[in-house]
């Protein structure tokens, strides 16, 4: 028997992750990633010999002993028996992709949709939406509407006959082709695939990886310990492979059972069986092409037979399938069909939780999308079989998003949970609903609330949110017409099809979680209240059922004793309301249900009460910051009551949350302190103490079912004298410290540190307060010298700082020690400033020894702080702050020495050297490489320091006798002027930059006055002119910001412009003289004279409308800019090239 061979065979194609189908100059991009699979390898392909009879079944036909045979069996025999919930099951298997991809469905459904313009057959699919994802499931009308029992799908059956079938000429229900020929063809294809499985030697490894990129995701699932039974855990699924397929810009999660084979010469192929008498049409070619694209298979091997007898093989590359004879099609047209269908579905299937029906009858010209939830309405009466699975899926997706992304996806999680609660009923799904309410409350008040103070002022939104697109707005429609949409099949191939008017912009912002602390906590408490209502109602109902249960008569076994109910002698305390049973009562728990089922009630209530305690704590903290002492005490009292309920229900949870109780007790102490400091009386806040909202009352009523006594009632009583309240406050802090020290775990040690830090912070605040009082004395208009009261304030402040430093030393908190030393340094500077004001009141102010002493003390404090911090890497923010304060101290001290030089006690040279040294140290602590928000401040400080140093050296030149020393000082001055100009330019300090340029010119002008050589004067003038010309850009920038300047800066700028005008006239006059003496060309001399004449004109001062200072500044600056522009042209064209 002759051996069959593959024709048109080329070199083996390497495995790719992306396939591009060429059509003219365009390419179709396709990439497949394997997400889940039961078959992780491709079986070897056995090339059948010619004349093999496919009518004879192979020995392994329909055998399912291996995963490969199981795959082939399911692909050929059970392809049409997939569940109508398969897309929901697939979504449950890939929760990370649900809501992110565009489509989740069976691969066969994708092929049916893309074949719509080429086929006249009917389409029937159910569509659901989760976020951005559309879930598509085939819906067999004949199977579900006609073959089911009369009550099944009754609402849909009525809708079908009333709305869909009424327009049909023939009232026939489409059904799948189950003819004998179809069955024989399918069986022959099945035998062919079984024949093609190659026999492998036991020691030979025949497993080859799939061509699709396989991704194994090991998800560390941190399950909420809220539910012992995970609701609706999805099975493995209906498909052997679940693939993430990227087709152009469309991302789809598809399920497929397509068998993929491999061989030595063809590493990856799919197998197709064709009858030689039947021509290949467009539908067949499109089917083959899509199968290969979805699984990233580069080639298809087509086996041709005649009456079941194998004739030959033909190997076709995937990119060549669209060009096959009699079955050619345009791949770009298919991509447009996909985009148009997806755009149509996304634009109209917009509501999560709604069930949509995509339907097209045989030979219909339009595809219709029915919103069954809106159209059928109350007729469903809870009989929609998609509702519960979809609601469970929404819950699972939300829970997964919360675990994986924490706060980033919070708005999306909220939307999913809200839609989940709309679909599920609390009576039938109380466990899931309770969990959903807890998750919703956790979004508004996360567990990090206690530690994260920034949460109070933070809003949660998604900057690049992709779970919902622009078409997914949940707007309710009122009429049936808006609930039925149609798509003309003729327009599916059009690139600018009408359904894509919105350009399918997928990314939009979901409603972020925003609001104040009160609003967020109110939302959290609302959901906690609903969750507790759902839980308590379910538990109470089960208790009542247990009590009213009548045992049915059963046959007794003579070999077993009749069980008797055990009743303890001492029962739990009765509930406050006999109709509301306490959850902690073990007697009731044993009556209710099994132990595992009871645990979810107990644990869920513990989590809800714990979350309520956090919400109340946050409200109390916010109210305290808002000076609402009564409200703060009411909230913290409610928080402590909720936490007491946690302790009663689950003592181990109480042990796990000691830190929360510590924070609450610490906050009680803070509230009492504020109550004392504000001088309030109990009657002032008594109304706020009992002003409970409905949600607060409901939560506290649920807590009261569990509590007999409230152990912390003493801490929340604000009645009594000041001594009692202070003792009460001390007891709160003492109890908080006892909680941390009674069980010295690593966590409780951290709590001790927190409490001691709080004490240190309080001492720091006291020190800052007294320092502020001392500063108030300093700022009085009649201040003449530091009096006794100010000194006492400074001493108290210093004492508080020292006590705070001691407290932080106990816990080795170097960072906070450094902060307090820094604050102590500020106090020393304040005391120095007080003596400075006394100094400045004298006739000839000089830097005093008292000022020097306090500045040195401040420097010592900052140095100690830096020593504690050790390096900028440990606490970069604190290090940066201390360095800035130290730089400021050095700078202020240098400025005072420079401006108020103590010539009566120290020689000038020594003072100038000390000023230069202090300025250098100030510059040393400015981190110019920093990228923090302080960088502009560093640059301005660097500019100021360099300007001060340049001025110092500039001044020294005037009194220096030695020419060599003058040259050195000139070099230093010019260097520092250049640096100052650079830094002022970087921070857009235009006035300072203008002053620096003018002083630099003044330096050259001073040097010019000592020169007699004309050429040297011309060179010096040329250098000086360059500085004046650089003022042009400064003036332009100044004009743009005149409206933002204050009066002081305007007056200063006006003065500098006058100086610039005079120096410009001086420069032009000197240039005219130089050019005249050097006998330069007449044209150049005339040009200079013309510029000089223009500089002398004062027409701008007589312009109309110059009455205001701002207008005068604008006119002068504009005049100078024009003049400098003309001067720059002469400078570039002539002066710059003049050898001098």
């Amino acid at each position: 028997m002759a051996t069959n061979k593959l024709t048109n065979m080329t070199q083996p194609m390497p495995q790719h992750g992306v396939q591009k189908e060429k059509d003219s100059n365009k390419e179709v991009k396709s990439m497949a990633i394997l997400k889940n699979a039961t078959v992780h390898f491709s079986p070897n392909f056995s090339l059948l010999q010619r004349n093999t009879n496919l009518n004879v079944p192979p020995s392994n036909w329909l055998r399912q002993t291996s995963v490969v045979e199981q795959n082939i069996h399911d692909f050929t025999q059970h392809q049409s028996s997939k569940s109508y919930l398969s897309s929901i099951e697939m979504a449950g298997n890939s929760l990370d992709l649900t809501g992110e991809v565009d489509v989740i469905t069976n691969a066969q459904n994708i092929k049916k949709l893309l074949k719509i313009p080429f086929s006249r057959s009917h389409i029937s699919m159910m569509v659901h939406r989760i976020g951005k994802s559309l879930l598509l499931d085939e819906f067999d009308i004949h199977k579900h509407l006609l073959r089911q029992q009369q009550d099944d799908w009754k609402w849909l059956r009525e809708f079908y006959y009333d709305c869909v079938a009424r327009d049909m000429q023939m009232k026939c229900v489409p059904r799948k082709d189950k003819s004998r020929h179809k069955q024989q063809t399918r069986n022959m294809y099945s035998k062919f695939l079984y024949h093609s499985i190659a026999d492998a030697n036991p020691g030979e490894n025949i497993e080859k990886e799939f061509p699709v990129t396989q991704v194994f995701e090991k998800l560390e699932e941190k399950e909420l310990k809220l539910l012992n039974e995970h609701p609706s855990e999805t099975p493995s699924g209906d498909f052997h492979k679940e693939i993430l397929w990227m087709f152009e810009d469309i991302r789809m999660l598809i399920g497929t059972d397509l068998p993929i084979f491999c061989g030595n010469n063809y590493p990856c192929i799919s197998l197709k069986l064709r009858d030689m008498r039947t021509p290949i049409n467009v539908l067949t070619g499109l089917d083959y092409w899509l199968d290969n694209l979805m699984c990233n298979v580069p080639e298809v091997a087509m086996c041709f037979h005649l009456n079941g007898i194998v004739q030959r093989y033909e190997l076709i590359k995937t990119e060549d399938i669209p060009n096959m004879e009699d079955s050619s099609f345009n791949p770009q047209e298919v991509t447009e069909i996909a985009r148009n269908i997806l755009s149509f579905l996304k634009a109209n299937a917009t509501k999560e939780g709604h069930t949509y029906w995509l339907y097209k009858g045989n030979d219909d010209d339009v595809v219709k999308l029915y919103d069954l939830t809106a159209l059928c309405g109350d007729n469903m009466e809870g009989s929609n079989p998609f509702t519960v699975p979809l609601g469970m899926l929404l819950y699972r997706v939300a829970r997964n998003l919360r675990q994986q992304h924490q706060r980033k996806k919070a708005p999306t999680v909220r939307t999913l949970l809200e839609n989940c609660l709309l679909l599920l009923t609390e009576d039938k799904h109380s466990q899931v609903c309770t969990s959903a309410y807890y998750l919703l409350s956790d979004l508004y008040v996360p567990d990090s609330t206690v530690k994260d103070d920034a949460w109070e002022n933070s809003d949660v939104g998604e900057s690049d949110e992709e779970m919902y697109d622009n078409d997914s707005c949940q707007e309710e429609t009122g009429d049936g017409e808006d609930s039925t949409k149609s798509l003309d099949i003729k327009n599916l191939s059009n690139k600018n099809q009408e359904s894509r008017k919105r350009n399918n912009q997928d990314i939009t912002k979901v409603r972020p979680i925003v609001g104040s602390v009160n609003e967020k906590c109110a939302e959290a408490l609302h959901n906690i209240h609903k969750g507790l209502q759902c839980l308590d109602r379910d538990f109470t109902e089960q208790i009542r059922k247990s009590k009213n249960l009548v045992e049915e008569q059963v046959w007794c076994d003579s070999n077993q004793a009749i069980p008797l109910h055990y009743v303890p002698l001492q029962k739990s305390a009765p509930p406050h309301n006999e109709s509301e049973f306490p959850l902690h009562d073990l007697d009731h728990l044993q009556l209710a249900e099994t132990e595992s089922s009871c645990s979810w009630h107990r644990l869920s209530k513990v989590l809800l009460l714990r979350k309520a305690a956090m919400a109340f704590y946050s409200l109390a903290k916010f109210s305290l910051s808002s000076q609402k002492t009564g409200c703060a005490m009411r909230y913290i009292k409610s928080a402590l009551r909720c936490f007491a309920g946690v302790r009663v229900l689950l003592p181990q949870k109480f042990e796990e949350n000691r830190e929360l109780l510590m924070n609450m007790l610490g906050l009680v102490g803070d509230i009492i302190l504020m109550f004392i400091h504000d001088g309030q009386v109990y009657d002032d806040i008594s109304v706020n103490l009992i002003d409970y909202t409905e949600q607060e009352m409901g939560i506290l009523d649920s807590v009261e079912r569990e509590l007999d006594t409230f152990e912390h009632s003493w801490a929340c009583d604000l009645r009594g004298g000041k001594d009692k309240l202070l003792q009460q406050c001390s007891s709160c802090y003492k109890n908080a410290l006892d909680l941390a020290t009674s069980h010295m775990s690593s966590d409780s040690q951290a709590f001790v540190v927190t409490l001691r830090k709080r004490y240190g912070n309080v001492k720091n605040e006291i020190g800052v307060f007294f320092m502020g009082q001392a500063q108030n004395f300093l700022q009085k208009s009649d201040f003449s010298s530091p009096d006794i009261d100010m000194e006492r304030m400074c001493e108290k402040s210093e004492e508080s700082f020292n006590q705070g430093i001691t407290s932080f030393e106990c816990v080795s908190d170097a960072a906070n020690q450094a902060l307090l030393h820094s604050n102590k340094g500020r106090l020393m500077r304040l005391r120095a400033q007080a003596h400075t004001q006394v100094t400045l009141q004298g006739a000839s102010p000089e830097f005093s020894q008292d000022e020097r002493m306090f500045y040195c003390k401040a420097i010592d404090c900052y140095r100690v702080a830096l020593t504690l911090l050790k390096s900028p890497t440990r606490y970069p923010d604190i290090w940066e702050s201390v360095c800035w304060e130290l730089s400021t101290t050095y700078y202020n001290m240098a400025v005072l020495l420079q401006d108020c030089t103590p010539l009566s006690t120290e020689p000038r040279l020594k003072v100038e050297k000390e000023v230069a040294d202090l300025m250098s140290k100030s510059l040393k602590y400015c981190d110019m490489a920093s990228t923090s928000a302080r960088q502009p401040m560093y640059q301005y400080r660097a500019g100021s320091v360099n300007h001060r140093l340049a001025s110092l050296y500039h001044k020294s030149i005037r009194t220096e006798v030695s020419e060599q020393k003058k040259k050195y000082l000139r070099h230093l001055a010019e260097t520092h002027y250049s640096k100052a100009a650079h830094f002022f330019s970087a921070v857009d300090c235009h006035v300072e930059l203008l002053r620096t340029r003018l002083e630099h010119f003044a330096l050259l002008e001073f040097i010019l006055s000592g020169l007699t050589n004309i050429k040297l004067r011309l060179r010096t003038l040329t250098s000086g002119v360059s500085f004046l010309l650089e003022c042009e850009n400064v003036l332009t920038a100044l004009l743009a910001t005149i409206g933002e300047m204050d009066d002081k800066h305007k007056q200063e700028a006006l003065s500098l412009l006058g100086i610039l005008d005079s120096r410009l006239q001086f420069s032009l006059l000197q240039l005219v003289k130089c050019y005249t003496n050097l006998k330069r060309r007449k044209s150049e001399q005339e040009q200079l004279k013309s510029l000089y004449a223009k500089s002398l004109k004062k027409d701008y001062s007589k312009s109309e409308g110059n009455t205001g200072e701002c207008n005068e500044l604008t006119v002068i600056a504009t005049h100078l800019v024009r003049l400098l522009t003309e001067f720059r042209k002469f400078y570039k064209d002539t002066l710059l090239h003049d050898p001098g």
Side-chain angles (χ1 to χ4, degrees), residues 1070-1085:
Q1070 295 301 318
L1071 284 173
V1072 169
K1073 291 179 180 179
C1074 288
Y1075 268 58
T1076 303
N1077 293 332
L1078 292 172
K1079 298 181 180 180
R1080 300 301 189 204
R1081 287 193 295 267
K1082 288 289 185 180
S1083 59
E1084 296 175 355
Q1085 295 181 32

Side-chain angles (χ1 to χ4, degrees), residues 34-48:
L34 183 65
K35 301 301 292 183
N36 300 305
T38 58
V39 185
H40 294 287
F41 60 89
S42 301
N44 277 350
F45 165 49
S46 175
L47 193 65
L48 302 185

Side-chain angles (χ1 to χ4, degrees), residues 828-967:
M828 297 299 109
R829 284 165 53 194
L830 178 65
R831 301 186 74 172
Q833 187 180 353
H835 290 281
T836 299
Q837 289 200 15
V838 175
T839 300
L840 294 176
Q841 292 174 4
S844 55
E846 291 187 357
F847 189 71
S848 65
Q849 292 300 319
D850 289 333
E851 293 173 80
R852 183 183 295 275
M853 177 186 67
F854 285 116
Y855 272 118
C856 289
K857 285 185 177 181
I859 291 172
D860 292 338
C861 291
Y862 292 129
R863 283 178 174 175
V864 171
L866 292 178
T867 303
L868 289 167
L869 295 174
K870 294 183 179 179
S871 70
T873 56
R874 294 181 64 193
Y875 308 101
D877 294 337
I878 301 176
W879 178 276
E880 186 178 20
S881 175
V882 174
C883 285
W884 173 253
E885 296 293 338
L886 182 55
S887 173
T888 303
T889 304
Y890 280 126
Y891 179 75
N892 291 344
M893 187 175 178
V895 168
L896 288 172
L897 276 171
Q898 187 176 7
D899 295 345
C900 305
T901 307
L903 297 178
S904 62
T905 57
E906 297 181 15
R908 177 180 295 277
L909 289 178
K910 182 180 178 182
V911 174
E912 289 179 353
K913 184 178 179 181
E914 185 178 4
V915 169
D917 182 58
L918 290 172
M919 288 291 185
S920 299
K921 289 180 179 179
S922 175
L923 202 58
K924 172 186 173 183
Y925 289 101
C926 289
D927 186 7
M928 304 309 300
S930 173
T931 58
S932 67
R934 273 201 173 96
Q935 187 184 23
M937 298 169 62
Y938 289 144
Q939 291 175 327
Y940 184 81
R941 172 63 53 76
S944 300
V945 168
N946 280 285
H947 177 243
R948 281 270 179 177
L949 287 173
S951 299
L952 179 69
Y953 297 131
H954 185 177
K955 184 178 180 181
S956 299
I957 292 175
R958 299 179 183 275
T959 58
E960 184 60 46
V961 178
S962 171
E963 290 297 327
Q964 185 176 0
K965 186 69 173 177
K966 277 186 177 182
K967 289 181 180 180

